[in-house]
Amino acid sequence: MKVSKFGGSSVSNASQIKKVLNIVNSDPERQIIIVSAPGKRYDNDVKTTDLLIRLYEKVINNLDYIDKKREIIQRYDDIIKELHMSKDLLSIIDNTLEQYIATLKEQPERLLDALLSCGEDFNAQLIAQYNNSQGIPTKYLSPKEAGIIVTDIPQQAQILNSSYDKISTLKDYKEKLIIPGFFGVSEKDYIVTFPRGGSDITGAIISSGVKAKLYENFTDVSGIYKANPNIIKNPELIDEITYREMRELSYAGFSVFHDEALQPLYKDRIPVVIKNTNRPQDKGTYIVHDRQVNSKNIISGISCDKDFTVINIKKYLMNRQVGFTRKILGVLEDNNISFDHMPSGIDSISIVMRSKQIKNKERKVLNEIRKQCDVDELSIENDLAILMIVGEGMNQVVGTANKITHALAESGINLKMINQGASEISMMFGISVDDAEKAVLSTYEFCYHGIELKNLCDPA
Ligand code: ASP
C-alpha cells in the first residue's frame, strides 16, 4: 500500500483536483490520500489557510468578519461549480465556520486551530465526494476517525505513540480514503494543528501507522533541487537522499518536505518520494535510509539560510576552566534559548542560534554571561548566514572541504566560522548575510561542475 499526500498547489482548483484523482485512481495501491487546503492558484493568490487566519483575526478583534468568511466559501464554491457538484457542502462549510466561531471565541488559541483545520477538512470532504460521484468508492475520514490523537499544544501538535494501533487499521478499508492533513485531535477532544506545512506530517504518521511501502509526497516540482532555484538557474534534481541529509537540508532552508515529517518514517525506514502532480511521469526524488555514494553524488545539496545570531566569547585559558561552557549554556537555558552550533577554540567559543531565539533578550543574556562567567571579551553579531554543504559521501572521500573553501576563497568570501560534526554528513560555514547568494552559486558551480565563479559566463 502507498500513502499519497497532495500539497496545496496540487489541490488549489478544479483542474488540479482532477489531475490528483487521475493519479490516485490510476494505481490501486494508492489507497490512502492526504490532502492539503487549496493553495495558491497563481503568484499573488492567497492560500486558504492564510484566508482562515485573516478570518480569525477579524473575529478575535470583534470586527465584521462576513467578507472574510465569504472569501473562504468562495474558494470552495469555485471548485464545486467547475466540478458540477451539488452545493450542499457549502452550507456545511458555512455552518462549521460559524459553529467554531460561536463556541470557541472566548478561547482564541483553540479557535485558531479549529479554523486553521477547516482548509484541509473541507477540501478532503469535497474531493472524497467528487471521486465517489465518478464511481470510485471513496470515503472521507476525519483525523479523529483515523485515530490521529495528538498532544494538546496549539499549532505544535505531536502525535501520541498510542495512536498508531488505531491508525494501523486504516489498511482494512475497502474504499479509497481521503484524510485531511495538518491536524489531529487531543485527548480532551480539541482540534490541534501541526506547525505550518504540517500536512506532510499527517502523511508521514499515516504511512508509519499502516507500514506503507512508499509515502508519495506530490507537490509542484519534480523533486528536490540540489540548490535553491531562485539562486541557481535550473539546478539539477537530487535522485536519492537519505533521511539524515534531508533533515540537514530542511533545517537550512530546503522547504519542499517538512523536517518534522521525517521522524515517523525513520523508525520503519519507509521511503518517501517527492513527485510533481503536473508531471507525474517524472521520477522524483527518493528519501531513503541508505544510499549508494558515487563520484557524482558525494554532496547531495547546498543550502544557505539567513537570520542567525552569534555570541562570541573569549577567555584566556578557557580550555583549563572546568564548567565554563556549562555556565554559558546555563544562561541560555535560563532565558529559554536553544542554539544550533557551538564551534570553539582553546580560548574562545561561539554560540550560533536563530536570531528569533534571542530577539529582545540580547542585552539581558550578555549581562548574565558577563556576570556569571568572567569572560575576557564578549560580542554579539547579527546578520550571520549559515551555508550548509550536505552529503553522506563526504566521510568516504578526501578533499570536499578543500573544494568548498577554494570556491569560497576564490569568490572573496570571508569564513567567520567552520563546523563539522563527527558524522561528517554536513559542513557548516558561518558567513556574512551579504555573501549568502554568492556562496551558494560559487560552491554549486565548483563542487558539481568544477567551474570557478570568475569563469562562469552567465551567473544566475
Ligand atoms: N495548509 C497548511 C499550511 O498552509 C498545511 C499544509 O499545506 O501542509 O501551512
Side-chain angles (χ1 to χ4, degrees):
M1 173 184 285
K2 296 174 185 167
V3 170
S4 311
K5 179 255 164 178
F6 292 86
S9 59
S10 302
V11 286
S12 59
N13 61 27
S15 62
Q16 286 300 96
I17 289 175
K18 282 186 183 164
K19 280 186 204 167
V20 163
L21 291 174
N22 276 337
I23 294 171
V24 167
N25 298 332
S26 69
D27 184 346
E29 287 191 314
R30 292 189 176 121
Q31 273 294 103
I32 305 184
I33 316 304
I34 315 298
V35 293
S36 281
K40 292 186 183 189
R41 296 158 292 184
Y42 42 85
D43 265 357
N44 291 326
D45 199 11
V46 183
K47 288 172 155 201
T48 315
T49 308
D50 293 313
L51 292 178
L52 287 157
I53 294 175
R54 290 180 189 178
L55 169 66
Y56 162 80
E57 277 161 1
K58 289 277 179 194
V59 173
I60 53 152
N61 289 309
N62 287 317
L63 297 169
D64 182 5
Y65 61 80
I66 296 303
D67 283 350
K68 292 290 154 216
K69 189 182 76 175
R70 261 199 219 116
E71 256 183 283
I72 293 160
I73 299 176
Q74 190 62 49
R75 288 293 311 253
Y76 295 96
D77 194 12
D78 289 348
I79 301 175
I80 283 174
K81 259 197 214 114
E82 237 189 291
L83 294 177
H84 307 292
M85 295 170 66
S86 123
K87 287 197 172 258
D88 293 353
L89 188 60
L90 294 179
S91 44
I92 297 181
I93 292 177
D94 197 347
N95 292 341
T96 309
L97 292 171
E98 286 295 348
Q99 189 217 329
Y100 287 153
I101 292 169
T103 54
L104 295 170
K105 201 173 163 212
E106 302 312 319
Q107 301 176 73
E109 294 247 278
R110 301 298 186 187
L111 176 64
L112 178 57
D113 279 27
L115 290 178
L116 279 172
S117 75
C118 290
E120 341 311 266
D121 201 29
F122 301 154
N123 220 17
Q125 295 182 44
L126 186 159
I127 293 170
Q129 215 180 84
Y130 180 70
N131 212 33
N132 250 319
S133 73
Q134 302 304 295
I136 318 281
T138 309
K139 188 175 167 58
Y140 155 81
L141 215 59
S142 72
K144 185 174 175 178
E145 292 166 310
I148 306 177
I149 311 300
V150 295
T151 54
D152 213 349
I153 312 164
Q155 291 125 68
Q156 293 295 330
Q158 289 193 330
I159 190 74
L160 298 178
N161 277 335
S162 49
S163 298
Y164 283 109
D165 278 349
K166 172 133 189 230
I167 295 173
S168 73
T169 64
L170 298 182
K171 53 182 178 302
D172 303 333
Y173 281 87
K174 296 281 169 283
E175 309 96 320
K176 287 194 187 286
L177 299 180
I178 312 275
I179 303 174
F182 190 37
F183 68 99
V185 289
S186 68
E187 282 173 326
K188 289 187 195 144
D189 211 20
Y190 281 111
I191 289 174
V192 194
T193 61
F194 296 115
R196 288 298 303 266
S199 296
D200 286 351
I201 304 174
T202 305
I205 290 167
I206 301 288
S207 301
S208 166
V210 301
K211 307 260 181 295
K213 77 170 196 199
L214 182 64
Y215 172 24
E216 297 178 307
N217 198 287
F218 281 89
T219 172
D220 52 7
V221 283
S222 291
I224 302 170
Y225 292 115
K226 291 182 179 172
N228 184 345
N230 296 324
I231 302 174
I232 310 290
K233 240 189 228 170
N234 303 322
E236 291 160 31
L237 284 165
I238 301 170
D239 290 332
E240 216 177 35
I241 185 171
T242 65
Y243 298 126
R244 298 191 308 158
E245 290 174 311
M246 190 64 234
R247 155 87 180 114
E248 300 260 351
L249 286 170
S250 25
Y251 156 79
F254 276 37
S255 56
V256 179
F257 191 63
H258 203 295
D259 58 349
E260 279 188 40
L262 290 166
Q263 204 198 357
L265 303 165
Y266 192 81
K267 184 171 48 82
D268 296 310
R269 302 189 177 193
I270 292 166
V272 187
V273 61
I274 309 290
K275 278 180 84 76
N276 191 343
T277 301
N278 305 311
R279 294 183 54 87
Q281 69 280 15
D282 289 354
K283 203 171 134 256
T285 297
Y286 279 79
I287 311 174
V288 292
H289 190 269
D290 298 301
R291 69 174 176 89
Q292 291 291 331
V293 174
N294 61 44
S295 61
K296 291 209 171 62
N297 66 13
I298 295 163
I299 295 175
S300 275
I302 296 172
S303 161
C304 195
D305 207 6
K306 300 176 183 173
D307 297 323
F308 285 90
T309 293
V310 55
I311 299 178
N312 295 309
I313 298 151
K314 287 191 186 152
K315 171 76 188 163
Y316 186 61
L317 292 181
M318 185 185 89
N319 62 326
R320 303 263 290 278
Q321 288 213 9
V322 176
F324 185 80
T325 317
R326 186 185 56 75
K327 280 192 222 151
I328 297 169
L329 297 185
V331 173
L332 296 186
E333 187 179 353
D334 293 345
N335 286 280
N336 199 24
I337 293 171
S338 69
F339 71 93
D340 295 10
H341 304 275
M342 196 168 55
S344 66
I346 49 168
D347 288 344
S348 67
I349 188 161
S350 296
I351 304 180
V352 181
M353 65 210 76
R354 300 259 174 200
S355 300
K356 62 174 188 250
Q357 286 285 328
I358 194 166
K359 200 165 169 230
N360 303 328
K361 299 181 196 164
E362 289 94 336
R363 189 181 297 190
K364 180 167 180 275
V365 168
L366 293 194
N367 280 342
E368 285 174 26
I369 293 179
R370 233 177 248 119
K371 218 158 84 202
Q372 294 181 30
C373 309
D374 183 25
V375 298
D376 292 341
E377 282 176 44
L378 182 62
S379 64
I380 187 162
E381 226 181 300
N382 289 307
D383 299 330
L384 184 78
I386 298 283
L387 175 74
M388 291 287 268
I389 313 285
V390 177
E392 294 271 0
M394 293 196 296
N395 64 3
Q396 297 169 29
V397 178
V398 175
T400 317
N402 180 27
K403 278 194 192 158
I404 301 163
T405 49
H406 175 88
L408 295 171
E410 189 263 333
S411 307
I413 294 172
N414 177 37
L415 300 181
K416 292 171 185 262
M417 62 191 76
I418 304 180
N419 202 11
Q420 181 187 37
S423 71
E424 287 188 57
I425 180 188
S426 67
M427 256 179 248
M428 167 289 222
F429 299 86
I431 56 176
S432 158
V433 78
D434 300 330
D435 289 329
E437 271 85 34
K438 201 167 25 151
V440 173
L441 193 58
S442 60
T443 46
Y444 179 88
E445 289 303 340
F446 192 65
C447 294
Y448 288 123
H449 305 127
I451 304 172
E452 292 185 348
L453 201 53
K454 63 172 181 269
N455 298 327
L456 193 66
C457 333
D458 180 19

